[in-house]
């Protein structure tokens, strides 16, 4: 049996991986986990997370991976909102009644547990609940069933030409669908293998590449920027890499060129979102690749551009990017009205503005929503604004993203105080640190007398963003 999956600590072949999954399923089953249940997993990138995911599926349960960097309140919301019946973590203090990961996944000798019976899954059985912030700042659970995941994996395998010789190096977090689908499930289904890297470090990354000898990895523009910024004497052996993938945010053509020229590896840029089970377009690995675009629609999906009235637009016209296909989510958990607004007549409305060029490649123009993408992580200003509003001195708050050479964008905040009230920018930053994950904390807070407004009285974030850039 050949190698299957590895992390920084161990490597499993297919037989051992199956045994580990069967044992973990037996433990979960003994704790009452069965078909239709949800298992929450709060772990950094490590092999055990994948074992638990497969074990839960073996029992007919779904998995909701929780960002280990969330605050206690943020993690609790996801656990409670998903209705998780079990929480698995390496920190028992994170949740009452949680299971320690070692209890679930510790290797056992054959016969230590009776393997749990497998459940016959149907295509509409829930597989994953991936949480992503909504326009109101309240995290929403994206429900992906096994049909979604299977369709997406087949599209990725076909588009990238994956086979049993492929070996992915996972550097993106496993609480994102990209990390799960592109870097774990797809290579395994193609007969290949996956190596899970721990916390990303630009200085140590190519050491991992040289040691693991992967054929590809998937990353976000911020990671490529950090790799390009490495000292000039860093000259790694990248000969094992056939291609690398970029997603989560548009990547500047100049950055693509710098990476390819320095490291001799082609970047395949794509586009998608969690609601579409990861990817909807991709620059074809065999070419032509067109930097500045996010590529062609993946076979099996229809990607189009629509105006505000719901009319499909011709090539060259800008409008909202919409997606239709078997990869479109089942919906938002417990939010039927939000689901109905997002998926209309089978079309997933992405909230992104784009246009198709003459060759059918998608060019992203802007975002309808005010989402900030910091190092590939989606940040919604409203969530930060809600925290700022909890301070008794704050009357109004607005958060916008400003360009950052390494991270793409970072959030900055502007606040108006109640008359006679006082608070320092530092105190407001500390308030955010106590309630938000580190990536969501604004890099700067400016106290101002008034916020710019449009003719109907709404805060004009376009003007605010422009003034922030010019400061």
């Amino acid at each position: 049996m050949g190698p299957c999956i590895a992390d920084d600590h161990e490597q499993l072949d297919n037989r051992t991986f199956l045994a580990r999954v069967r044992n973990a399923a037996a433990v979960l089953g003994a704790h009452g986990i069965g078909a239709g249940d949800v298992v929450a997993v709060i772990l950094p990138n490590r092999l055990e997370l994948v074992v638990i995911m497969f074990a839960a599926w073996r029992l007919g349960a779904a998995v909701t991976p929780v960002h280990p960097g969330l605050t206690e309140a943020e993690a609790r919301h996801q656990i409670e909102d998903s209705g998780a019946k079990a929480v698995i973590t390496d920190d028992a203090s994170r949740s009452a009644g949680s299971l320690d990961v070692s209890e679930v996944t510790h290797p056992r000798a054959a016969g230590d547990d009776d393997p749990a019976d497998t459940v016959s899954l149907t295509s509409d059985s829930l597989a994953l609940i991936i949480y992503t912030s909504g326009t109101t700042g309240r995290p929403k659970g994206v429900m992906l069933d096994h049909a979604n995941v299977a369709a997406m994996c087949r599209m990725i395998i076909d588009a990238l030409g994956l086979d049993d010789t492929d070996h992915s190096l996972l550097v993106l977090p496993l609480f994102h669908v990209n990390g799960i689908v592109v870097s774990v499930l797809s290579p395994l289904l193609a007969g290949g293998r996956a190596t899970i890297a721990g916390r990303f470090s630009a200085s140590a990354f190519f050491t991992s590449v040289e040691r693991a000898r992967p054929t590809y990895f998937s990353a976000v523009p911020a990671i490529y920027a950090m790799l390009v910024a490495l000292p000039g004497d860093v000259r790694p052996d990248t000969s094992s890499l056939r291609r690398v993938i970029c997603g989560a945010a548009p990547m500047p053509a100049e950055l693509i060129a710098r990476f390819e020229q320095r490291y001799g590896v082609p970047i395949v840029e794509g586009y998608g979102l969690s609601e579409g089970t990861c990817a909807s377009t991709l620059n074809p690995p065999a070419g032509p690749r067109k930097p500045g675009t996010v590529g062609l629609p993946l076979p099996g999906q229809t990607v189009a551009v629509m105006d505000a009235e719901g009319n499909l637009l011709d090539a060259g016209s800008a409008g909202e990017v919409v997606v239709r296909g078997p990869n479109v989510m089942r919906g938002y958990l417990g939010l039927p009205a939000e689901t109905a607004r997002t998926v209309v007549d089978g079309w997933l409305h992405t909230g992104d503005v784009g246009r198709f060029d003459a060759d059918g490649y998608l060019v992203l123009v802007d975002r309808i929503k005010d989402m900030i993408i910091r190092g590939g992580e989606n940040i919604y200003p409203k969530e930060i604004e809600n925290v700022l509003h909890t301070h008794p001195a704050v009357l109004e708050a607005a958060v916008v993203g400003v360009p950052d050479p390494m991270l793409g964008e970072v959030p900055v905040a502007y606040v108006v105080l109640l008359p006679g009230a006082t608070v320092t920018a530092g105190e407001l930053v500390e308030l955010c640190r106590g309630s938000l994950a580190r990536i969501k904390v604004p890099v700067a807070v400016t106290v101002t007398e008034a916020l710019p407004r449009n003719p109907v009285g709404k805060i004009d974030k376009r003007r605010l963003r422009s003034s922030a850039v010019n400061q």
Side-chain angles (χ1 to χ4, degrees):
M1 301 286 281
C4 173
I5 192 163
D7 62 11
D8 294 337
H9 305 289
E10 62 179 331
Q11 176 176 292
L12 305 181
D13 61 19
N14 285 280
R15 189 187 306 278
T16 309
F17 178 59
L18 175 59
R20 195 77 64 85
V21 169
R22 286 163 62 93
N23 283 329
V27 175
L28 291 176
H31 282 85
I33 301 301
D37 291 330
V38 176
V39 175
V41 187
I42 312 176
L43 290 174
N45 276 16
R46 49 196 282 191
L47 186 151
E48 290 92 338
L49 198 158
V50 179
V51 170
I52 292 166
M53 182 169 65
F54 275 76
W57 290 346
R58 187 177 179 86
L59 298 171
V63 173
T64 185
V66 182
H67 185 347
L70 293 182
T71 64
E72 181 181 351
E74 290 170 324
R76 185 170 60 251
H77 165 73
Q78 181 171 338
I79 292 166
E80 294 176 352
D81 186 70
S82 67
K85 190 171 181 177
V87 180
I88 302 172
T89 178
D90 56 2
D91 179 4
S93 66
R94 288 299 299 253
S95 176
S98 61
L99 300 175
D100 188 273
V101 62
S102 63
E103 178 185 352
V104 179
T105 63
H106 184 72
R108 295 169 175 82
D112 278 4
D113 289 298
D114 292 326
D117 292 333
T118 57
V119 172
S120 297
L121 295 170
T122 60
S123 61
D124 62 353
S125 296
L126 193 60
L128 293 166
I129 306 176
I130 303 294
Y131 274 76
T132 178
S133 295
T135 55
T136 63
R138 182 176 178 81
K140 298 175 292 189
V142 175
M143 296 187 293
L144 302 176
D145 58 29
H146 283 277
N148 294 144
V149 174
M152 189 77 263
C153 288
R154 176 48 53 193
M155 293 173 188
I156 293 294
I157 291 169
D158 291 345
L160 293 176
L162 300 181
D163 59 27
D164 58 1
T165 67
D166 270 295
H167 177 190
S168 77
L169 179 64
L170 171 69
V171 296
L172 295 177
L174 277 170
F175 55 81
H176 274 186
V177 73
N178 186 310
I180 294 172
V181 170
V182 176
S183 296
V184 176
L185 298 183
S186 292
L188 294 186
L189 284 170
R193 55 189 290 208
T195 293
I196 301 169
R199 187 177 182 87
F200 176 79
S201 165
S203 61
F205 176 71
F206 282 117
T207 300
S208 298
V209 170
E210 292 175 336
R211 181 178 65 250
R213 304 289 296 166
T215 60
Y216 75 96
F217 64 83
S218 179
V220 297
I223 286 178
Y224 290 106
M226 287 185 273
L227 296 177
V228 166
L230 287 172
D233 60 354
V234 176
R235 296 292 177 184
D237 177 4
T238 61
S239 60
S240 69
L241 292 168
R242 300 169 183 169
R243 92 292 277 172
V244 294
I245 304 163
C246 184
M251 188 169 176
E254 295 80 6
L255 180 57
I256 292 176
R258 290 190 188 102
F259 182 90
E260 293 182 343
Q261 290 167 7
R262 177 167 179 179
Y263 297 113
V265 182
I267 291 179
V268 177
E269 188 178 13
Y271 161 75
L273 57 166
S274 298
E275 290 88 340
T277 323
C278 182
S280 290
T281 67
L282 193 72
N283 269 278
R289 292 176 294 113
K290 298 181 70 172
T293 80
V294 290
L296 300 168
L298 288 174
Q301 294 185 53
T302 304
V303 182
V305 173
M306 187 176 285
D307 65 17
E309 286 72 43
N311 302 306
L312 297 180
L313 302 176
D314 296 330
S317 298
E320 183 179 12
V321 179
V322 292
V323 175
R324 186 166 61 185
N327 56 300
V328 172
M329 67 173 179
R330 180 190 298 184
Y332 294 118
L333 179 65
L335 298 171
E338 184 72 17
T339 299
R341 287 193 293 269
T342 304
V343 182
V344 182
D345 296 330
W347 288 104
L348 171 64
H349 287 249
T350 68
D352 293 310
V353 177
R355 59 177 175 80
F356 284 98
D357 70 10
D359 298 317
Y361 287 66
L362 180 63
V363 179
L364 294 180
V365 178
D366 201 351
R367 291 183 296 278
I368 296 174
K369 303 169 185 176
D370 290 322
M371 183 175 69
I372 300 165
I373 302 179
R374 178 177 183 169
E377 295 285 343
N378 293 350
I379 302 171
Y380 284 85
K382 188 66 175 176
E383 187 176 5
I384 306 172
E385 292 163 2
N386 288 342
V387 172
L388 291 169
H389 275 288
T390 66
H391 196 285
V394 172
L395 174 64
E396 292 184 298
V399 174
V400 296
V402 298
D404 181 90
M406 296 297 290
L407 298 173
E409 292 178 298
V410 292
V412 299
Y414 291 84
V415 300
V416 177
L417 303 183
L418 287 163
T422 60
V423 64
T424 67
E427 289 171 335
L428 292 175
V429 169
E430 286 303 313
L431 173 68
C432 292
R433 285 200 181 109
S435 302
L436 298 167
R438 180 178 55 84
I439 61 166
K440 301 175 186 177
V441 176
V443 300
V445 175
T446 299
V447 178
T448 184
E449 292 185 359
L451 297 171
R453 299 184 181 277
N454 64 20
V456 296
K458 294 183 178 180
I459 296 173
D460 190 336
K461 288 196 171 181
R462 184 182 296 274
R463 284 171 53 197
L464 195 59
R465 191 178 297 113
S466 178
S467 65
V469 170
N470 295 325
Q471 282 185 351

